[in-house]
């Protein structure tokens, strides 16, 4: 596990995606907290009305995140990794632009409409982010996914501090500019064997690499343990040989007992003189 985490953490692509995920999932968490208060302060809505309007942002998550992953897959089928990166870049850029528009909305209805499309792009960017993660370094995918996911919480903390220290409009402007800047990080994402955003090309015959981390070889003592179990097998062979001897024909058993044949011969020789004496008599 430590080797997997180290391998994922030392990959620069992991941290580019970390920042980009902070600018989508982190924005979602921030909006879940700030949207209702924003509608109360800026549009004089009651707490109940503001909460109902702000909940629209969360409802978009039912399908928007999956839509982002779907768009990433479709782009990959026609353009490879370059397609995934373009989808990621466009979604983040659109998200950042809509944050700036939302911050300058002068009417309640306009703010709601902008927030709906803003929410769609935010959560679609989350799905497209994880359309890229499994390709960064397949043997360390779990660690990379964990690091990128932590970026969302980190982004929420950072943007939350902005809303605490600044007014709503300035906080939204800072958020929008940060998101727009993060979209340009796609230029620096270069995954081995795949094309970049504007440079390189997908390798048609990528090198075959192990899809899991190398597992250390077993100790020599453990390797010798199976050899210690061989004696029972030899005892079983001896038992089989013994059964074959017992089941052999009787004449074969007699042949294998030369001592018994010698005794029979001696007895026959002792009986011959007696027979000859009777003949002479």
């Amino acid at each position: 596990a430590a080797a997997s985490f180290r391998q994922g953490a030392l990959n620069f692509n992991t941290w580019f995606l970390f920042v980009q995920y902070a600018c989508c999932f982190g924005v979602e968490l921030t909006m879940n907290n700030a949207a209702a208060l924003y509608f109360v302060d800026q549009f004089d809505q009651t707490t109940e009305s503001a909460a109902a309007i702000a909940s629209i942002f969360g409802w978009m998550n039912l399908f928007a995140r999956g839509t982002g992953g779907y768009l990433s897959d479709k782009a990959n089928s026609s353009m490879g990794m370059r397609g995934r990166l373009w989808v990621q870049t466009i979604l983040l850029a659109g998200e950042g632009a809509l944050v700036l528009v939302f911050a300058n909305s002068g009417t309640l209805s306009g703010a709601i409409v902008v927030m709906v499309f803003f929410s769609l792009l935010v959560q679609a960017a989350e799905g497209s982010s994880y359309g890229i993660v499994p390709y960064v370094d397949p043997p360390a995918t779990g660690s990379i996914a964990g690091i990128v996911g932590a970026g969302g919480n980190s982004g929420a903390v950072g943007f939350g501090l902005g809303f605490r220290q600044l007014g709503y409009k300035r906080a939204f402007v800072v958020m929008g500019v940060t998101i727009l800047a993060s979209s340009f990080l796609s230029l620096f994402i270069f995954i081995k064997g795949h094309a970049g955003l504007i440079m390189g090309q997908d390798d048609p015959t990528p090198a075959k690499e192990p899809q899991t981390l190398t597992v250390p070889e077993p100790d020599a003592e453990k390797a010798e343990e199976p050899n210690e179990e061989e004696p029972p097998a030899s005892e079983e062979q001896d038992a089989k040989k013994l059964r074959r001897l017992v089941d052999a024909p009787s004449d074969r058993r007699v042949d294998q007992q030369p001592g018994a044949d010698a005794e029979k011969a001696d007895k026959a020789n002792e009986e011959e003189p007696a027979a000859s004496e009777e003949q002479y008599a």
Side-chain angles (χ1 to χ4, degrees), residues 145-162:
I147 294 171
V148 173
N153 301 86
S154 301
V157 172
F159 292 131
L161 291 174

Side-chain angles (χ1 to χ4, degrees), residues 54-72:
S55 68
I56 298 173
F57 194 96
W59 282 108
M60 296 297 103
N61 202 22
L62 290 174
F63 62 91
R65 186 178 297 196
T67 300
Y70 171 77
L71 293 174
S72 182

Side-chain angles (χ1 to χ4, degrees), residues 1-273:
S4 173
F5 182 82
R6 189 184 309 111
Q7 185 172 335
L10 293 176
N11 193 314
F12 287 107
N13 296 316
T14 301
W15 297 104
F16 293 143
L17 291 170
F18 175 94
V19 174
Q20 289 188 332
Y21 200 65
C23 291
C24 51
F25 187 60
V27 169
E28 178 188 350
L29 296 178
T30 302
M31 287 296 295
N32 289 338
N33 293 324
L37 295 176
Y38 175 75
F39 284 110
V40 170
D41 292 344
Q42 297 298 316
F43 298 104
D44 297 324
Q45 296 295 302
T46 64
T47 303
E48 293 77 9
S49 298
I53 295 170
S55 68
I56 298 173
F57 194 96
W59 282 108
M60 296 297 103
N61 202 22
L62 290 174
F63 62 91
R65 186 178 297 196
T67 300
Y70 171 77
L71 293 174
S72 182
D73 290 341
K74 292 296 289 184
N76 179 69
S77 64
S78 59
M79 299 174 62
M81 181 55 64
R82 178 168 293 160
R84 291 188 186 275
L85 292 173
W86 271 112
V87 168
Q88 176 85 339
T89 303
I90 292 170
L91 291 174
L92 286 170
E95 173 192 340
L98 285 179
V99 172
L100 298 177
V101 175
F102 180 75
N104 292 280
S105 298
T107 64
L108 177 61
S109 58
I112 294 174
V113 171
V114 173
M115 186 186 70
V116 169
F117 288 99
F118 166 44
S119 177
L120 289 172
L121 293 179
V122 168
Q123 291 161 91
E126 296 168 11
S128 66
S129 296
Y130 274 91
I132 299 171
V133 165
Y135 295 89
V136 174
D137 191 349
T141 296
S143 296
I144 294 171
I147 294 171
V148 173
N153 301 86
S154 301
V157 172
F159 292 131
L161 291 174
F163 276 90
R164 181 178 180 181
Q165 302 296 328
L166 306 172
Y168 283 109
K169 186 171 183 179
R170 290 188 63 188
F172 277 122
V173 169
V174 170
M175 178 187 287
V177 172
T178 303
I179 297 169
L180 285 171
S182 73
S183 67
F184 288 97
L185 291 178
S186 298
L187 289 167
F188 306 101
I189 296 178
F190 293 98
I191 298 173
K192 184 178 180 181
H194 299 281
L197 185 67
I198 58 176
M199 294 184 295
Q201 58 183 0
D202 290 322
D203 187 356
T205 55
K208 293 183 178 179
E209 298 180 355
Q211 296 301 304
T212 57
L213 292 175
T214 304
V215 179
E217 294 294 332
D219 297 337
E221 296 179 358
K222 294 182 178 180
E224 293 176 357
E225 289 180 0
N227 297 331
E228 297 177 357
E229 298 178 358
E230 292 182 357
S234 60
E235 293 177 1
E236 183 177 352
Q237 292 178 356
D238 294 340
K240 290 181 178 179
K241 290 180 180 179
L242 181 60
R243 283 197 297 270
R244 283 199 294 269
L245 291 176
V246 172
D247 297 339
S250 58
D251 55 348
R252 183 177 176 182
R253 290 201 300 269
V254 171
D255 293 340
Q256 293 177 354
Q257 298 177 356
D261 294 343
E263 291 178 1
K264 291 181 179 180
D266 293 339
K267 289 181 180 180
N269 293 333
E270 290 176 358
E271 293 175 355
E272 286 180 359

